Amino acid sequence: MERSTIVRVQDGLHARPATRFVRLAKGFESDVEIVKGEKAVSAKSSVKLMLLGVKENDEVSIRADGADAIEAVDALIAYLENPLSGVEEGAGESATQPVPPQKEPAPKKVDAEASTPVADGGIHGVAASAGLGLGPVFAHFPQQIVPANKTLSADEIAPEKKRFEDAIVRLQEKLDRSLASDGMQESDRGIVAALRDIASDDALRDETLAAIDGGLDAVSAVIAASSRLADDFRKLDDAYMAARAEDMESIARQICLTLLGQEDARLDDIPDGAILVAEDIGAWDLARAPLKRLGGVVCGQGGATSHVAIIARTHGIPAVLGLGEAVNQLREAKEAAIDGHTGQVVVEPDAATRARFDEMIGAAAREKEALKAYKDVVPRRADGTVIQVAANLGSLEEVEAAQEAGAMGVGLFRTELLFMRHMHLPSEDMQAETYAELARAFPDHPVIVRTLDIGGDKPISGVEFPEEENPFLGWRGIRMCLDRTDIFKVQLRALLRAAVHGNLRVMLPMVSDVEEVRRTRALIDECAAELKAEGVACGEFPLGVMIETPAAVFGAAALAKEVSFFSIGTNDLTQYVMAADRLNPAVASLNDAAHPAVMAAVEQAAKAAMDAGIEIGMCGEAAARGDLIPEFIRMGLTELSMSPASIQATKKQLSELLETAA
């Protein structure tokens, strides 16, 4: 049994998605392989799977042979096409809720001042996690394990293989206990679970046993096998996958320590604010460390895509990695200062450097803490009008971050990401549940869902797009949807069904003509009538349009008579007003929402909305620009939607602005 498909797992089958895929494959009796190009590997080995280098949008085949081959192929193909259907690993057992593959957190955005070295001199490595740290050095340089390369006699081989197998079992039990503890965050738990599976993976196990059969002692065999596999990872052209070499070496060290009956030095005694310095540190060790005490992490090995970097970024810990031999300058140091924005490390900083770091660390901490006070603030004008500060989201996985930031609903939910994740068009049921869950997440605030905004620049499976010289000016957004009512009606039906679960609103992208709104309304009425005839519960929703084409600006007065609200999409509006492709660096200087022509377009749309008595908001990147927010409020905008990371700062600015105006 064999079938081919296109991989829709975000970023491909890296460590955690590979672990989930392998766990799914191991649930079947059949022998299962995954094939990419001319190479086939076992689907039940996460190491072999990662070494295959399967990336998002790659074409692969699943091949199975056995009693449940059909079921195995169907399940694995479904996972590759729809990773949301896969199961996440938990603390030693499968969870019951579907969890999407996790993407590596991006480094924090920093201001211009933070992007320059805080002090002269020092040593430099990879800026792996933003932030500043100043504190005592906690040097962690455990003794290296040197292979004995002992030659076994024939009668020693079988007992040595058993000793190795027993060590794997003991290490698995140890890792399972760690995963079951309450002190580990879910983001770190996924990394440790992937390491646990590597420890018993067939690739490492088989190579080690073969080396023991060749006469090597178990410790030397583990080191030899893991070194070969680590070298294979380093040869991969994908930076994230190449960094998995460090995971291989880290877990090999833990196997060797278990064989030797030893434990690595624990990190439990790290003092508050200390800078952890190491030649290398395993993700498992770091995940179990008292992370709240760390003032920073400095390593000779590692890079921005290593699991140590991911853990550091997740927990907001400054990190500089990849120092190489220079890390030895910190072995005996008493104090260090690190700049995770630039990769700078200052050993034994002088008084001036300490003062500079202290000043900036204190300012950043005070600003971050102060902004938390604005999480639940509701900005209001003097007349009582609420200014909604909402979140732009692309998936349900982003809801928690928006809630924690204090988002007052959702100003833009990009439904195209739901379509782009699948090999096939998402069903009405899948869409309805997604939109309903989104509405339920913000019961006290409006949730605005944008209908499918797809085109030649963002193709999806199931729709054949024409070749276009300029897809931004082509068959996209509402234009495509009205031509493909078989797709559009499924989405509209799903939205009507979800409307019973909360304050759901719907807006149309790329509108250029009033007739597009009228045709959509006719389809909505048609869908509502169908649902009622079928006895399916459905509600109603306010219909709005995005103002992102010059035609929508010039025709705003007519559009305002047809809809309940406007939302200005400044990203596209700017490129269309300025006739400057926002993806073309040669004209980047023209792509500025602050340009007088763009601001005039925003004001014209705002006036049309106010004259008609409808709401107007903004969901483009300019909504979070502190230099433009006062103008947007003056124009009459009552909603600003942005990345969750900008919400609290925007609430603060609005509160101060509106208080002054009052």
Side-chain angles (χ1 to χ4, degrees):
M1 177 66 184
E2 183 172 349
R3 277 174 56 195
S4 299
T5 189
I6 302 297
V7 177
R8 298 301 181 187
V9 180
Q10 191 173 40
D11 294 334
L13 294 178
H14 54 80
R16 281 162 285 179
T19 298
R20 289 192 284 273
F21 182 85
V22 167
R23 183 161 301 165
L24 183 60
K26 285 182 176 179
F28 297 96
E29 295 180 8
S30 297
D31 293 328
V32 188
E33 290 184 324
I34 180 169
V35 185
K36 177 186 173 185
E38 300 297 319
K39 191 172 181 180
V41 301
S42 170
K44 299 184 180 182
S45 168
S46 57
V47 170
K48 291 178 181 176
L49 183 59
M50 287 189 286
L51 285 172
L52 190 59
V54 176
K55 298 179 181 179
E56 186 174 5
N57 295 322
D58 278 352
E59 182 175 356
V60 300
S61 298
I62 301 297
R63 180 188 300 159
D65 182 19
D68 53 4
I70 295 175
E71 293 84 352
V73 170
D74 287 346
L76 293 172
I77 289 287
Y79 176 82
L80 295 174
E81 293 180 351
N82 176 21
L84 287 174
S85 66
V87 293
E88 172 69 82
E89 62 273 299
E93 60 182 358
S94 295
T96 57
Q97 293 299 318
V99 178
Q102 300 179 26
K103 188 174 183 178
E104 173 192 343
K108 296 178 182 177
K109 184 179 179 180
V110 297
D111 58 33
E113 183 178 12
S115 65
T116 57
V118 178
D120 295 331
I123 53 181
H124 289 266
V126 176
S129 179
L132 300 168
L134 172 65
V137 169
F138 186 92
H140 180 71
F141 289 87
Q143 185 176 353
Q144 293 295 309
I145 299 174
V146 180
N149 292 322
K150 176 186 175 183
T151 302
L152 302 175
S153 62
D155 59 352
E156 290 177 315
I157 290 177
E160 194 72 353
K161 290 169 72 173
K162 184 178 187 306
R163 195 165 76 90
F164 166 70
E165 299 276 22
D166 290 345
I168 293 295
V169 172
R170 293 199 303 276
L171 180 57
Q172 288 280 90
E173 292 172 349
K174 182 179 179 181
L175 290 168
D176 284 341
R177 287 194 299 272
S178 179
L179 285 166
S181 67
D182 295 330
M184 190 178 293
Q185 290 199 13
E186 285 305 314
S187 56
D188 303 338
R189 201 182 303 275
I191 292 173
V192 175
L195 294 177
R196 175 199 58 193
D197 287 351
I198 290 174
S200 60
D201 190 87
D202 287 345
L204 179 58
R205 177 181 177 276
D206 292 348
E207 286 217 25
T208 300
L209 290 174
I212 297 174
D213 279 329
L216 270 184
D217 64 279
V219 171
S220 301
V222 169
I223 293 173
S226 62
S227 296
R228 283 194 294 271
L229 290 168
D231 287 344
D232 288 341
F233 274 113
R234 289 193 176 96
K235 293 173 184 174
L236 297 176
D237 60 3
D238 181 275
Y240 181 89
M241 296 306 298
R244 304 288 66 79
E246 299 162 24
D247 297 336
M248 181 61 64
E249 292 170 342
S250 173
I251 206 66
R253 177 178 177 82
Q254 294 304 317
I255 297 171
C256 290
L257 287 170
T258 305
L259 282 164
L260 296 170
Q262 298 176 7
E263 284 272 356
D264 254 340
R266 296 276 302 200
L267 302 174
D268 296 348
D269 298 329
I270 293 177
D272 286 337
I275 308 298
L276 173 62
V277 177
E279 168 62 29
D280 195 11
I281 185 168
W284 180 54
D285 291 314
L286 187 60
R288 294 184 305 144
L291 296 172
K292 291 182 179 179
R293 295 188 208 160
L294 291 184
V297 176
V298 176
C299 284
Q301 304 298 318
T305 56
S306 68
H307 275 146
V308 170
I310 295 171
I311 292 174
R313 286 196 293 267
T314 300
H315 293 272
I317 301 169
V320 176
L321 309 180
L323 285 175
E325 291 296 324
V327 75
N328 291 313
Q329 296 180 34
L330 291 121
R331 277 181 179 266
E332 306 299 329
K334 293 181 179 179
E335 188 178 40
I338 76 167
D339 183 350
H341 304 290
T342 64
Q344 182 187 32
V345 179
V346 182
V347 186
E348 307 293 11
D350 59 23
T353 300
R354 285 199 302 272
R356 175 70 168 148
F357 268 85
D358 278 335
E359 177 187 348
M360 294 189 68
I361 290 170
R366 289 191 296 273
E367 181 181 3
K368 183 178 179 180
E369 190 61 33
L371 285 176
K372 291 180 182 178
Y374 291 89
K375 174 182 177 181
D376 299 319
V377 164
V378 178
R380 297 178 188 272
R381 288 178 172 162
D383 63 2
T385 301
V386 171
I387 306 298
Q388 299 278 341
V389 184
N392 293 339
L393 305 178
S395 65
L396 294 178
E397 296 83 67
E398 300 171 28
V399 165
E400 185 177 354
Q403 292 171 328
E404 290 179 355
M408 301 165 68
V410 178
L412 168 64
F413 185 73
R414 306 178 183 92
T415 60
E416 60 270 18
L417 298 186
L418 178 62
F419 283 72
M420 292 170 73
R421 278 183 170 182
H422 296 79
M423 182 65 176
H424 306 291
L425 295 171
S427 67
E428 180 183 319
D429 287 345
M430 177 182 289
Q431 291 190 61
E433 181 52 37
T434 299
Y435 307 145
E437 187 171 342
L438 182 69
R440 288 192 291 263
F442 297 92
D444 302 321
H445 298 291
V447 169
I448 300 177
V449 176
R450 181 174 70 188
T451 58
L452 187 57
D453 186 13
I454 216 76
D457 62 316
K458 294 183 292 185
I460 60 171
S461 298
V463 181
E464 185 175 347
F465 288 90
E467 288 291 331
E468 297 177 305
E469 288 294 327
N470 190 337
F472 284 107
L473 301 179
W475 193 58
R476 58 175 299 193
I478 192 64
R479 303 166 182 176
M480 186 279 289
C481 286
L482 288 172
D483 284 347
R484 288 296 305 269
T485 55
D486 57 319
I487 297 173
F488 197 24
K489 283 186 63 177
V490 172
Q491 183 171 45
L492 293 175
R493 283 170 58 97
L495 288 164
L496 287 165
R497 289 169 55 184
V500 302
H501 297 285
N503 185 3
L504 192 71
R505 303 182 182 186
V506 176
M507 66 178 175
L508 311 177
M510 283 296 292
V511 169
S512 300
D513 188 84
V514 171
E515 189 59 29
E516 292 166 333
V517 177
R518 292 172 180 161
R519 289 175 61 192
T520 300
R521 281 203 179 279
L523 285 175
I524 293 170
D525 291 343
E526 184 180 319
C527 290
E530 290 173 358
L531 289 168
K532 289 174 184 175
E534 296 165 13
V536 178
C538 64
E540 298 179 347
F541 48 70
L543 184 66
V545 297
M546 289 191 73
I547 302 296
E548 53 187 342
T549 66
V553 173
F554 295 132
L559 285 170
K561 296 176 183 178
E562 300 285 339
V563 297
S564 301
F565 65 92
F566 285 167
S567 183
I568 301 172
T570 55
N571 299 352
D572 273 341
L573 180 62
T574 301
Q575 78 166 342
Y576 293 140
V577 168
M578 301 305 297
D581 184 349
R582 58 190 171 100
L583 300 181
N584 186 342
V587 293
S589 61
L590 292 173
N591 243 294
D592 184 1
H595 191 282
V598 180
M599 294 297 285
V602 173
E603 185 154 27
Q604 184 171 333
K607 183 179 185 304
M610 294 180 69
D611 289 347
I614 66 171
E615 297 177 18
I616 181 167
M618 178 178 290
C619 60
E621 290 180 11
R625 283 186 56 169
D627 58 329
L628 301 182
I629 285 175
E631 277 297 290
F632 296 149
I633 299 304
R634 180 193 64 77
M635 292 176 187
L637 273 67
T638 57
E639 183 230 32
L640 299 172
S641 190
M642 61 201 65
S643 165
S646 301
I647 287 173
Q648 291 176 3
T650 299
K651 284 189 174 185
K652 177 179 184 291
Q653 181 181 0
L654 285 171
S655 299
E656 294 170 349
L657 176 67
L658 299 175
E659 182 178 347
T660 301

